[in-house]
Amino acid sequence: MDRLIIEGGMPLCGELRVQGAKNAVLPILAAAAAAGGECVIHNCPRLRDVEKTVMILEQLGCDVKREGGTIVVNSKELTDCRIDEGLMREMRSSIIFLGAILTACSRAEVGMPGGCPIGLRPIDLHIASLKKMGVSICEEHGYIKCSCARLRGCPIHLDFPSVGATENIMLAAVKADGVTTITNAAREPEICDLALFLNAMGARVKGAGSSVITIEGVESLHGAEHTIMPDRIVAQTYLISAMITGGRIRVCGAEAVHMRAGLSALSEMGAVITEDSGGIELKSRGSVKSVHIIRTMPYPGFPTDIQSPFMALAAVADGTSVFVENIFENRYRHVDELVRMGADIKVEGRSAVVRGVKGLLGANVEAYELRGGAALVVAALAAEGRSTVSGTEYIDRGYEDIEGCLARCGASIRRVCG
């Protein structure tokens, strides 16, 4: 397995361009399976999850080509409606193929999804919503088997504003009979990006970005061209990296409007942040203040995906910070590894109390999931001495060439293979 070798203590200074958003490109690639034609999707990051999604598309019979950051998907010859259990286990977001395949084929058979071990991510909202739309569903031998004569639009209320369930309903509703209205829908920017792509394919989706989304079913879809939005989680990770190392960085292409909760926390912790139409610049004042309390919440609240890197920053802050994880119950797997580096963190249930220390020490640590792995990289950048971060297969699920990006801004970081 690969490892990242990091010599800490080097201030990050420079400029980099943020990659396309992992959480946007995956549902958009799934949507391309339902187009019935050629879709050209730009700004696609090179990630393990994107590679697995391409493999799923190819298994379904789509012709897929990548040229640089552009992926071309032709679903005209879609021949299959089944996704093997092995591919589905690679990532939780693979469940969104249910809605897309049902739209394309009126039936689907997919293995139970997998992903990072950060806690329960039940798919009951997906299943219940599809049943309301007329889908017959049975689960047997690790597979979800779905069929319907014709999808029908209907009102759907989500008990929780699940991003995945909102996306699946949208994908299933675009060619359904009548109108589908989702109330308490997820409001994340990635939902808006999916709606833009679906509408470019001929769908009629309104209200994305609000808690009520309306989808009027159409007779047919067609190919389209789209550029993936910037990754707000990756952008914030690099801003935090500059902050923890006492540096200065500009993240080009980042959309500040997507990151208000995180940018507010960084300002509270002492960062000087400048925004313009081209991106975001952060300058450290040389010290880090504690943040009173961070509670993860659905968008536009503080995102669970950036909680772990912020905890690494709080570990060296002056004072005590409190984190409350309201989304996933097992999102503190990085804590023991940070403690190995000298952090003072106490966890009780969904709360973590972080007492800032004067400095972290390099150590051999292991990533157990994507965002926790990013937190360990952030901590290692500031630690005294050498750190080795293993478990890079998790980090590579969401960060494109993380070592190259950080090295271009002055970090001493390299990847060792094998």
Side-chain angles (χ1 to χ4, degrees), residues 220-286:
S220 63
L221 300 171
H222 52 72
E225 189 169 2
H226 182 76
T227 299
I228 300 296
M229 63 172 279
D231 196 306
R232 58 197 173 101
I233 305 302
V234 171
Q236 289 174 90
T237 301
Y238 292 143
L239 293 174
I240 292 168
S241 298
M243 180 69 174
I244 200 171
T245 59
R248 180 172 187 165
I249 196 171
R250 176 175 173 78
V251 182
C252 300
E255 294 281 357
V257 69
H258 297 160
M259 301 185 288
R260 287 300 172 208
L263 293 179
S264 176
L266 282 170
S267 295
E268 183 181 343
M269 298 175 86
V272 178
I273 297 173
T274 305
E275 306 170 11
D276 58 43
S277 58
I280 303 170
E281 183 172 306
L282 179 144
K283 179 181 179 182
S284 169
R285 288 194 173 102

Side-chain angles (χ1 to χ4, degrees), residues 10-23:
M10 307 292 290
L12 256 63
C13 296
E15 180 176 292
L16 54 83
R17 177 162 293 277
V18 69
Q19 68 189 54
K22 165 188 177 286
N23 291 336

Side-chain angles (χ1 to χ4, degrees), residues 1-4 6 117 332-341 362-377 379-380 387-395:
M1 291 294 183
D2 293 359
R3 294 162 290 148
L4 294 174
I6 303 169
Y332 290 144
R333 298 196 69 190
H334 58 286
V335 168
D336 287 346
E337 303 303 291
L338 289 176
V339 170
R340 286 173 60 85
M341 302 176 75
N364 297 327
V365 293
E366 183 172 0
Y368 296 106
E369 46 89 12
L370 167 56
R371 305 305 176 183
L376 298 180
V377 172
S387 296
T388 300
V389 182
S390 57
T392 55
E393 65 273 17
Y394 291 109
I395 299 170

Side-chain angles (χ1 to χ4, degrees), residues 340-400:
R340 286 173 60 85
M341 302 176 75
D344 183 355
I345 306 173
K346 299 292 188 294
V347 174
E348 185 172 340
R350 289 179 176 261
S351 298
V353 177
V354 185
R355 295 180 176 86
V357 297
K358 290 187 176 181
L360 299 173
L361 299 175
N364 297 327
V365 293
E366 183 172 0
Y368 296 106
E369 46 89 12
L370 167 56
R371 305 305 176 183
L376 298 180
V377 172
V378 168
L381 292 170
E384 179 184 340
R386 174 177 291 187
S387 296
T388 300
V389 182
S390 57
T392 55
E393 65 273 17
Y394 291 109
I395 299 170
D396 294 341
R397 290 187 56 230
Y399 292 83
E400 179 181 36

Side-chain angles (χ1 to χ4, degrees), residues 84-165:
D84 287 342
E85 183 181 11
L87 280 175
M88 290 294 293
R89 282 183 178 273
E90 294 285 340
M91 55 183 185
R92 172 67 55 167
S93 54
S94 55
I95 193 65
I96 56 174
F97 271 95
L98 263 184
I101 299 173
L102 283 167
T103 289
C105 304
S106 297
R107 60 191 181 93
E109 184 176 337
V110 302
M112 292 295 289
C116 285
I118 56 174
L120 293 173
R121 292 188 281 186
I123 60 171
D124 56 328
L125 292 177
H126 303 245
I127 300 302
S129 300
L130 292 174
K131 285 182 176 179
K132 287 182 180 179
M133 300 178 72
V135 181
S136 297
I137 301 176
C138 69
E139 300 177 42
E140 56 183 40
H141 307 301
Y143 279 85
I144 304 168
K145 298 181 179 181
C146 307
S147 62
C148 62
R150 176 75 176 177
L151 287 158
R152 59 174 183 267
C154 63
I156 297 175
H157 177 79
L158 296 177
D159 293 334
F160 178 83
S162 161
V163 173

